[in-house]
Amino acid sequence: MGGRERKLSDSSGMTYQGSGVDTDQVVQSLAGITEQLRRTWTVPKGKIGSVRLDFGLFANVIEIGNNKGIAMTTDGVGSKVLVAQRMGKYDTIGIDCIAMNVNDLLCVGATPLAMVDYIAVQVLDPGCLGELAKGLTEGALRAGISIPGGEIAQVRDVIKSEEGKDGEGFDLAGSAIGIVDLDRIIVGERVRAGDAIIGIESNGVHSNGLTLARKAIGQDVSLYDKRFPELGRSLGEELLQPTHIYTREILPLLDPEQGIDVKALAHITGDGFLNLSRVPSLVTFVIETFPAPPPIFSIIQQLGGIADSEMFEVFNMSIGFCVVVPENQVDRTLELVARFGKKAYRLGRVTDRDPEDWEVVIHTPDVRLRGKGKSFSSF
């Protein structure tokens, strides 16, 4: 891996499933849910209110007339709330909530407009709520959206706190909307062999894989306050680094005047680069290079003895967002992204795929993985 001083471990060790998150079970459960929910799609295509996309993408789009659609998505910040509790720091996690929603809206080509939040708490603590509001406000300003409403629920019997943090339990989620022309919706159906994969750097762990990270830290809670020289701050502070909001980098690429043929967009969250396989095209995404992951990833891997395949299934490993464009538009794409201070890289290429072949292949000097569905394996 370019610029890295050591190779990631190939040893088996701690896993996401072992830490309490069973992604295979999630897929099976979703099948039953979506089968039921699809029965609500009663409005025919071409009418206001019709559902334009299938389940399984980053967001969906509802037709509202005049070739316009409202893109919709919902997400939370997961067990990152427990890290916030452990650190007693609540002023940035609202940024994560905005980011997790807004970044998903971008993936269907939508311009984000607004988000409403839901905060569930054990105890109504004005101080904590005020700090959460700071983060939500800052995130909304960064994303260029409004927060026109929300809900606060006191549900002490439902929300639990970390040990020694009685009463500080909370959960944070949101639902966001954006606007998109129906003839400019992006889902990846036009991706073809020869297209290039562009990756935009992440801010670190973002809001995925915190369950595994916390499991790797284990019972030694003093590690959260330990200052790691390679991080330049404590481990807990690094884990709370807010998810980057990619509106400034992606919206210019979607502007027709820029002439970029954006064929697919992927928010690299849980499942890592396997998120690329959400596109409906029968292709393989071949990752041939990527930047050195921030030190936080090697720290988590070493603490938990986690295998390469597990790390790449759970974490973004340095890339928070991917864009697929024609090869001849790579330089222009990198130039536009660089205007906003975020580093972007040509990660690899798209190849044809037979139905039984691998969906994502990572083949670099340091890492060799091939993935399908929700898992990677070494080769």
Side-chain angles (χ1 to χ4, degrees):
M1 197 182 308
R4 288 177 37 177
E5 296 180 355
R6 68 171 193 86
K7 184 176 179 179
L8 289 171
S9 169
D10 289 325
S11 62
S12 60
M14 197 169 286
T15 66
Y16 211 24
Q17 182 172 356
S19 66
V21 180
D22 190 334
T23 54
D24 290 334
Q25 192 175 59
V26 169
V27 172
Q28 296 171 8
S29 300
L30 280 176
I33 294 173
T34 56
E35 181 181 353
Q36 291 293 323
L37 298 183
R38 193 173 278 107
R39 294 171 54 199
T40 68
W41 297 4
T42 58
V43 179
K45 184 177 179 179
K47 301 291 185 181
I48 293 177
S50 69
V51 179
R52 296 303 299 256
L53 303 176
D54 201 356
F55 289 115
L57 299 172
F58 292 92
N60 212 320
V61 177
I62 304 299
E63 187 169 348
I64 59 173
N66 297 319
N67 192 42
K68 296 291 184 182
I70 291 292
M72 305 173 67
T73 192
T74 188
D75 207 347
V77 294
S79 62
K80 196 166 186 174
V81 299
L82 300 179
V83 180
Q85 279 182 50
R86 180 58 59 191
M87 298 299 295
K89 179 175 170 58
Y90 307 106
D91 62 336
T92 61
I93 200 163
I95 300 173
D96 292 285
C97 189
I98 299 290
M100 296 303 289
N101 283 278
V102 163
N103 291 343
D104 281 359
L105 289 176
L106 294 171
C107 290
V108 295
T111 298
L113 297 178
M115 191 193 85
V116 292
D117 62 89
Y118 172 77
I119 305 173
V121 299
Q122 277 185 301
V123 176
L124 289 171
D125 179 349
C128 174
L129 291 173
E131 293 297 290
L132 292 176
K134 285 182 182 179
L136 288 167
T137 301
E138 177 61 25
L141 292 173
R142 292 184 187 183
I145 68 170
S146 63
I147 302 178
E151 174 72 8
I152 298 174
Q154 185 175 358
V155 283
R156 191 181 185 100
D157 292 338
V158 176
I159 300 296
K160 304 301 179 184
S161 59
E162 284 278 79
E163 184 177 351
K165 299 288 183 175
D166 187 43
E168 296 183 28
F170 74 99
D171 193 18
L172 176 62
S175 294
I177 62 168
I179 191 79
V180 62
D181 291 345
L182 297 181
D183 58 2
R184 295 188 62 84
I185 295 173
I186 298 172
V187 296
E189 79 282 1
R190 296 187 301 107
V191 173
R192 296 291 183 270
D195 289 335
I197 308 163
I198 304 295
I200 308 174
E201 66 178 346
S202 69
N203 275 5
V205 174
H206 284 184
S207 287
N208 298 98
L210 272 299
T211 297
L212 182 57
R214 289 171 45 252
K215 187 73 171 180
I217 293 170
Q219 298 301 311
D220 186 3
V221 296
S222 66
L223 282 175
Y224 287 98
D225 296 313
K226 180 180 177 181
R227 185 179 178 85
F228 285 74
E230 58 267 51
L231 298 178
R233 54 182 157 188
S234 72
L235 180 58
E237 289 172 328
E238 178 65 27
L239 291 176
L240 286 179
Q241 174 76 359
T243 305
H244 184 67
I245 298 170
Y246 289 93
T247 50
R248 293 202 309 167
E249 293 81 10
I250 299 302
L251 289 180
L253 300 181
L254 299 177
D255 182 352
E257 293 187 3
Q258 298 297 337
I260 302 295
D261 182 15
V262 177
K263 294 191 174 184
L265 298 152
H267 184 196
I268 307 303
T269 56
D271 300 331
F273 287 115
L274 291 167
N275 280 283
L276 288 165
S277 64
R278 295 194 192 193
V279 305
S281 298
L282 196 63
V283 295
T284 296
F285 296 91
V286 182
I287 308 296
E288 299 164 313
T289 183
F290 51 89
I296 182 61
F297 294 109
S298 61
I299 291 173
I300 292 171
Q301 184 168 27
Q302 291 172 23
L303 287 173
I306 305 168
D308 282 6
S309 57
E310 193 73 18
M311 291 295 294
F312 278 86
E313 287 172 22
V314 175
F315 299 106
N316 66 64
M317 298 304 288
S318 75
I319 296 296
F321 208 97
C322 284
V323 185
V324 179
V325 299
E327 180 65 40
N328 63 4
Q329 295 182 357
V330 169
D331 290 343
R332 176 63 174 155
T333 303
L334 294 176
E335 176 191 340
L336 283 173
V337 172
R339 290 181 182 180
F340 300 98
K342 212 66 176 163
K343 293 180 181 178
Y345 310 84
R346 184 193 181 281
L347 302 180
R349 56 195 168 87
V350 177
T351 63
D352 287 321
R353 171 171 63 90
D354 291 328
E356 300 304 316
D357 284 347
W358 303 101
E359 296 170 339
V360 180
V361 174
I362 301 176
H363 193 175
T364 73
D366 291 338
V367 179
R368 296 179 64 183
L369 299 171
R370 53 193 181 189
K372 192 171 186 178
K374 296 286 186 180
S375 63
F376 276 117
S377 60
S378 299
F379 70 94

